[in-house]
Amino acid sequence: MRQPRWCIATAVALWALFSSAAFAQDSASAAPPRGSLGITTGDPARRDVRIPDSVPNISGSWVARSSNRTIMPLDGGPSPFLPWAATYFDERAAAEKAGTPFFDTNASCLPSGVPRVLAVPYPIDIVQTPTLTVISIEVMHSFRVIHMDDKPPPADYTPSYLGYSRGHWEGDTLVVTTTGLNAYTQVDEEGRPKSSSMTVTERIRKVAPDFLENTFTLDDPNTYSRPWTARSRYQWAPDYHLAEYICEENNRNKPDATGKLRHGQGGDYAERKRAATKAKAP
Amino acid sequence: MTPRKTCPGWAIAAAATLALLSARAGFAQNGAFNSNEPGLRARDQAVLDQARAAIEADRKRPRIAGIWRATAPATTIKTVDGKLPPMTAAAQKLYRERVTDRKAGNSHDPLDQCLPPGTPRSLWSGEPILITQAPAKVTLFHQYRHLIRHVFLEGPPKLAEPDPIWEGHSSGWWDGDTLRIQTLGFNGEQWLDAAGLPQSPDMKVDESLRLLDANTLEDTVTVADARYYKEPWSTRVTFKRLPDDTFMPEQECSEKLLEFPLKPYAPSDGGTGHGSR
């Protein structure tokens, strides 16, 4: 049955009105209460009691409400690849499609690194101490140590998967700057590359009583033509305990000397164990 | 039939319902659900009230928070009397095989495959351990292979049938000035030391941590595992406090299992700009 145009217009307007009302409500709750008065600022029993109430509390368990396959620019635009990065990204996609994926540190039970771990779909646990904020990430039992005293890295610092992080509070926002990343990881699983020159700046804050948001900016002039920003979200999960995650138990996609992945072969603890048991059998 | 020129009530109602539904969906997508739930404030208040007592209690406790390191790192464990633990015949057989295998260069120590040592083996690594202390949870962050042990202070473990895992399930509580931690639910695969002291899935580990002075922490560990040990036995490890700003570099055991060196991606790092296949 056909309806007059204004009728459809009214329906669309209603939809838009209610939807935007919801968004408005969302942004209205964007200013969380300060201090430790109210669980809405974190779990008061899960951070060091020496921390003053004036420091926002984000301690406790959080489950990710984002996925890591792709870390996309928040503005919806394309990733601002430099030419080499665009070529790499396309080559990687083609290789994956052809069933001969490129090596990835994950294939050898090595960490995804920062920034990729910022958007993995695994739960996290935050512990605040007077000088550190420690973020445990369930996948591959990683933990990031954020130095809250602005101490520079030691002179003999070696670039690493998670890098060297310094943090400070700007109002209700934890601002974390990470440098010292190694050259062996990518931005995301899909294969946006990065160099060791990347600086990652995270802005972590509560956007609702149960929600933590991490808006992070990637600045890597050797890979991207301009800094770009992405976002991940976490929901408060007070009863969740991070589970044991042991990649090495089934480290079976190890690449060979040419870097080619050997699916289901080698390095598998369970296979070694079976072989040993077999050898010992009468 | 000529279409009516008015908008029927049911169309408006349907549009409004759809709009409300999508508004709720928008809420969910936008990640703000629950924020206006009426029960939320009450729940917050209840949790906060509960936490207050725990916070006040924790303020009076010894501070084991800090960075610690075992004073006498070891690869083999002896009891507090300096003896071999009292193994059953089954354990002795396994132990002898493992010692012989290692001598022959054919050890199957799970640690060599970068599998987690579990408790108590991790305590003797000799590398810094960051201990954080909160009213409801103590966490041990090891520099050694970035192992983590979250110990919720919920009393002895209540798991009837724990999921068997490498590191076991730890739960703790304060007994005066002593932090007690009990761990169970091991998978029975790990060795308790490099020589090859075995564990079974029945193993229970009971720890008592206490400060001997502000800079000395002692962990007395009692292992009970009737399948492999004639009686529960105890061992002890002592830690010295390191400066609070001790840097703990990342340590990736699995790098040593790689059969080729890691290659950089970016040309600026000396990479080719192409991936390895």
Side-chain angles (χ1 to χ4, degrees):
Chain A
M1 194 191 300
R2 295 190 56 194
Q3 303 303 336
R5 251 180 218 174
W6 68 264
C7 180
I8 291 162
T10 307
V12 170
L14 262 173
W15 176 83
L17 184 73
F18 276 97
S19 302
S20 60
F23 282 103
Q25 231 166 335
D26 185 19
S27 51
S29 63
R34 282 298 306 272
S36 70
L37 294 174
I39 198 73
T40 55
T41 52
D43 190 335
R46 287 203 204 163
R47 75 169 186 177
D48 196 306
V49 295
R50 293 171 296 177
I51 300 174
D53 277 0
S54 56
V55 177
N57 186 349
I58 55 169
S59 292
S61 317
W62 303 84
V63 292
R65 287 285 180 245
S66 41
S67 165
N68 72 328
R69 173 72 190 161
T70 314
I71 293 181
M72 295 276 278
L74 194 56
D75 60 17
S79 306
F81 290 128
L82 289 183
W84 82 265
T87 306
Y88 169 80
F89 186 73
D90 292 345
E91 282 180 358
R92 184 185 157 92
E96 192 171 298
K97 205 172 172 187
T100 53
F102 287 171
F103 172 70
D104 179 312
T105 48
N106 272 192
S108 291
C109 295
L110 292 167
S112 308
V114 168
R116 188 167 154 189
V117 292
L118 305 183
V120 291
Y122 292 91
I124 62 170
D125 176 286
I126 302 177
V127 176
Q128 292 167 273
T129 83
T131 54
L132 305 170
T133 300
V134 189
I135 304 181
S136 308
I137 309 160
E138 189 172 272
V139 62
M140 297 194 196
H141 59 92
S142 301
F143 64 87
R144 299 180 62 207
V145 177
I146 297 161
H147 302 264
M148 301 298 289
D149 51 8
D150 209 34
K151 209 177 137 65
D156 60 350
Y157 176 80
T158 307
S160 66
Y161 298 88
L162 301 171
Y164 186 88
S165 300
R166 277 180 269 191
H168 65 272
W169 288 96
E170 286 179 10
D172 291 319
T173 304
L174 173 62
V175 181
V176 181
T177 307
T178 302
T179 53
L181 295 164
N182 72 21
Y184 312 123
T185 65
Q186 306 174 124
V187 167
D188 62 11
E189 187 180 334
E190 200 176 9
R192 281 167 184 74
K194 66 171 238 315
S195 79
S196 63
S197 322
M198 181 175 270
T199 297
V200 180
T201 307
E202 297 162 76
R203 299 184 66 84
I204 302 169
R205 67 180 188 119
K206 303 278 297 243
V207 288
D210 280 22
F211 275 85
L212 195 65
E213 187 177 87
N214 187 355
T215 306
F216 51 96
T217 300
L218 312 179
D219 188 358
D220 180 359
N222 289 325
T223 312
Y224 297 96
S225 60
R226 59 175 170 83
W228 56 283
T229 299
R231 178 174 285 169
S232 59
R233 280 193 166 122
Y234 301 89
Q235 187 174 9
W236 196 50
D239 299 325
Y240 189 79
H241 295 189
L242 293 198
E244 179 175 280
Y245 186 114
I246 309 299
C247 176
E248 291 83 357
E249 193 166 5
N250 199 15
N251 188 358
R252 53 194 300 159
N253 290 339
K254 282 206 319 175
D256 64 16
T258 67
K260 189 177 169 60
L261 295 180
R262 300 175 303 183
H263 291 285
Q265 297 171 35
D268 181 357
Y269 174 74
E271 273 178 32
R272 271 181 57 119
K273 194 162 168 272
R274 271 194 298 277
T277 315
K278 221 172 175 181
K280 279 191 175 140
Chain B
M1 184 175 131
T2 313
R4 285 190 301 169
K5 290 287 176 200
T6 55
C7 193
W10 64 262
I12 298 284
T17 309
L18 190 70
L20 275 170
L21 281 175
S22 40
R24 290 193 75 86
F27 239 0
Q29 274 167 8
N30 223 25
F33 43 127
N34 291 343
S35 58
N36 291 304
E37 248 177 45
L40 192 73
R41 299 279 156 198
R43 184 200 69 182
D44 285 1
Q45 195 55 51
V47 176
L48 188 62
D49 290 345
Q50 205 180 349
R52 288 229 184 277
I55 290 169
E56 288 318 307
D58 197 60
R59 283 190 201 283
K60 298 185 188 100
R61 286 191 188 117
R63 297 241 66 83
I64 61 163
I67 302 184
W68 301 90
R69 184 163 59 196
T71 52
T75 53
T76 53
I77 296 181
K78 295 278 192 292
T79 65
V80 283
D81 310 320
K83 295 178 182 158
L84 259 184
M87 286 183 270
T88 61
Q92 279 174 1
K93 183 170 176 291
L94 266 178
Y95 186 75
R96 274 198 302 271
E97 279 174 11
R98 290 172 179 180
V99 170
T100 311
D101 281 350
R102 189 178 285 278
K103 272 187 189 150
N106 187 31
S107 174
H108 296 291
D109 186 347
L111 216 62
D112 298 340
Q113 290 299 310
C114 298
L115 290 159
T119 305
R121 197 171 175 183
S122 61
L123 300 173
W124 279 271
S125 74
E127 295 185 30
I129 304 172
L130 163 68
I131 300 182
T132 61
Q133 178 179 351
K137 194 178 85 167
V138 167
T139 309
L140 290 84
F141 297 96
H142 293 254
Q143 175 176 312
Y144 182 69
R145 300 185 180 183
H146 55 88
L147 301 162
I148 315 170
R149 188 149 60 119
H150 296 281
V151 183
F152 288 86
L153 303 180
E154 297 172 340
K158 294 174 191 74
L159 299 161
E161 288 180 40
D163 182 22
I165 56 175
W166 289 93
E167 303 188 284
H169 303 265
S170 293
S171 186
W173 71 97
W174 284 95
D175 179 6
D177 285 350
T178 301
L179 175 66
R180 296 281 305 277
I181 304 175
Q182 286 186 354
T183 309
L184 48 74
F186 293 94
N187 63 9
E189 299 275 335
Q190 190 49 272
W191 301 5
L192 298 191
D193 67 1
L197 286 175
Q199 63 159 257
S200 87
D202 302 334
M203 180 171 80
K204 286 182 184 166
V205 177
D206 191 321
E207 295 171 85
S208 294
L209 287 104
R210 64 186 181 113
L211 286 178
L212 299 184
D213 60 59
N215 297 317
T216 313
L217 180 68
E218 178 193 80
D219 188 357
T220 305
V221 185
T222 301
V223 174
D225 183 350
R227 195 185 301 184
Y228 287 139
Y229 300 97
K230 290 174 195 161
E231 60 197 6
W233 51 276
S234 296
T235 181
R236 189 169 286 142
V237 55
T238 307
F239 301 93
K240 276 287 177 198
R241 194 186 283 277
L242 296 173
D244 271 349
D245 62 354
T246 300
F247 177 67
M248 292 168 50
E250 273 173 61
Q251 197 181 88
E252 288 304 334
C253 176
S254 293
E255 279 181 353
K256 75 175 186 191
L257 300 179
L258 285 169
E259 288 164 30
F260 67 102
L262 291 168
K263 282 187 280 191
Y265 292 103
S268 57
D269 290 323
T272 60
H274 303 280
S276 55
R277 278 163 221 253

